[in-house]
Amino acid sequence: MILGGFDIVVIALVVFVILVLFAGIKTVPQGYRYTIERFGRYTRTLEPGLNIITPFIERIGARMNVMEQVLDVPTQEVITRDNASVAADAVAFYQVLNAAQAAYQVSNLENAVLNLTMTNIRSVMGSMDLDELLSNRDAINDRLMRVVDDAVQPWGIKVTRIEIKDIRPPTDLVDAMARQMKAEREKRAQILEAEGSRNAQILRAEGAKQSAILEAEGQREAAFREAEARERLAEAEAKATKMVSEAIAAGDVQAINYFVAQKYTEALSAIGTAGNSKIVLMPMEASSIIGSLSGIGAIAKEIFGDGNSPPSPPRPRQVPPRTTPPVNPFNQAPER
């Protein structure tokens, strides 16, 4: 089939329209922003989705990633304020907020953020002592983020986080720190041991004090009760003696018999329990004690009478002759 001139023109026109459509319709993916330049000058920013531009007049200038990005900061040597050399590395997170500023305010955005972060790491960590550097990592991260974020604001960037990954002091310094930590822990252990010993001694002293106080109180209470018992015993003895005396004065023979028998029995008990004698010979029986009591009663009758008639003068007693010499019951037998 042979095409005429009109057909060729129509086909060329269709192809041109298709090219214009492809040149004018732009699709922006999510997480990106495209800048539009008209004859080399920035005009606007395309949002994610389907967008239409003027073909052959406007073109896409920069394709900016507005998602949060991570930047690995390489290891670098830092001299602290107390002249200690340490190696530190970090990681930084940033996000593009203004695509136009990030595209046209700075060249090579990632390299600029990296160098700015490294410079501030050296300045911030160099203004701190080594002990402070190792123990205040959160404070270092916060200070670095604020300093770098203020510096990149004109670029339309937000620094969301800067984290120090590792701080490595020299080996000899690590050994010295380990010895210092060990000495500090030993010192604390000795202090705790001394405090424990002191507290134990205090507690023992308090216990001995309380024990002595309780013992003294117990002795005082025992002495008080003993004195009270002795007082009551003395009162009872005095009362008994008074009653016996009154009975004797009234001529009661049974009272004097009871009194003499009690004293006699107590004397015999004392002789039997004496510690300086082993064998005691007493030539008497229970009937002898009763006879002695009867004799004492007869004597009392002769002295005081029977209580109704006046007392008569004492008569001499008839003592029968004895074939054996009298034995004193209170004499002790010789020890064998």
Side-chain angles (χ1 to χ4, degrees):
M1 179 179 179
I2 299 174
L3 298 177
F6 179 75
D7 295 333
I8 296 173
V9 172
V10 171
I11 292 172
L13 183 61
V14 171
V15 173
F16 178 76
V17 170
I18 292 172
L19 293 175
V20 169
L21 292 176
F22 274 104
I25 298 175
K26 298 297 181 182
T27 301
V28 180
Q30 186 67 37
Y32 285 84
R33 299 292 187 274
Y34 290 174
T35 60
I36 300 301
E37 299 175 357
R38 180 177 297 171
F39 299 116
R41 181 180 180 182
Y42 168 77
T43 57
R44 67 183 187 278
T45 302
L46 299 182
E47 298 294 330
L50 185 63
N51 296 272
I52 298 177
I53 64 175
T54 304
F56 311 112
I57 297 176
E58 296 178 343
R59 69 180 184 89
I60 297 176
R63 293 175 172 83
M64 302 302 301
N65 186 351
V66 297
M67 293 182 290
E68 189 172 0
Q69 302 180 59
V70 58
L71 186 63
D72 191 11
V73 181
T75 303
Q76 54 185 326
E77 296 291 331
V78 179
I79 305 297
T80 61
R81 186 170 56 185
D82 53 353
N83 297 324
S85 177
V86 297
D89 54 358
V91 58
F93 297 86
Y94 69 94
Q95 184 178 12
V96 176
L97 300 181
N98 192 319
Q101 291 180 351
Y104 301 110
Q105 294 293 331
V106 62
S107 177
N108 197 348
L109 177 64
E110 182 175 340
N111 188 37
V113 175
L114 177 62
N115 284 274
L116 186 61
T117 303
M118 293 173 62
T119 303
N120 283 278
I121 286 176
R122 287 192 294 268
S123 62
V124 171
M125 297 178 65
S127 62
M128 304 172 68
D129 294 334
L130 179 61
D131 294 338
E132 186 180 4
L133 191 68
L134 297 175
S135 59
N136 295 328
R137 188 170 297 188
D138 292 338
I140 298 174
N141 296 335
D142 183 69
R143 185 176 175 183
L144 279 173
M145 188 188 69
R146 287 188 287 103
V147 172
V148 177
D149 185 58
D150 292 338
V152 299
Q153 278 186 359
W155 302 343
I157 299 174
K158 172 66 177 177
V159 177
T160 58
R161 186 179 304 173
I162 296 179
E163 295 287 342
I164 299 296
K165 293 194 299 183
D166 191 16
I167 299 175
R168 295 184 297 276
T171 304
D172 55 348
L173 188 58
V174 173
D175 295 338
M177 292 172 62
R179 292 193 299 269
Q180 179 183 1
M181 180 184 65
K182 182 179 180 181
E184 185 68 23
R185 291 184 180 275
E186 290 179 352
K187 174 184 175 182
R188 291 169 57 185
Q190 293 177 359
I191 292 174
L192 292 176
E193 184 178 359
E195 290 180 353
S197 177
R198 184 189 65 179
N199 293 335
Q201 293 178 1
I202 292 174
L203 292 177
R204 283 195 294 267
E206 289 290 337
K209 176 182 176 182
Q210 294 295 330
S211 177
I213 292 173
L214 293 177
E215 184 177 359
E217 291 180 354
Q219 293 178 357
R220 184 183 65 178
E221 184 68 20
F224 176 77
R225 293 183 180 273
E226 183 179 359
E228 185 178 2
R230 293 171 60 186
E231 181 180 359
R232 291 184 179 180
L233 182 61
E235 290 178 356
E237 186 71 21
K239 186 175 180 181
T241 304
K242 180 180 179 182
M243 293 176 64
V244 171
S245 300
E246 292 177 353
I248 293 173
D252 189 357
V253 179
Q254 299 295 331
I256 192 171
N257 288 341
Y258 170 75
F259 186 76
V260 173
Q262 182 183 10
K263 296 300 180 181
Y264 187 71
T265 305
E266 291 178 357
L268 291 178
S269 176
I271 293 173
T273 58
N276 57 356
S277 63
K278 296 183 179 179
I279 299 176
V280 178
L281 298 178
M282 294 183 297
M284 61 181 64
E285 300 175 352
S287 59
S288 301
I289 300 176
I290 298 174
S292 299
L293 296 178
S294 300
I296 295 171
I299 295 172
K301 286 182 180 181
E302 292 177 0
I303 295 174
F304 298 103
D306 56 357
N308 296 325
S309 61
S312 60
R315 294 179 298 177
R317 298 181 59 186
Q318 297 293 332
V319 180
R322 304 183 64 174
T323 60
T324 59
V327 179
N328 189 354
F330 298 100
N331 290 334
Q332 297 180 358
E335 296 182 358
R336 294 182 181 177

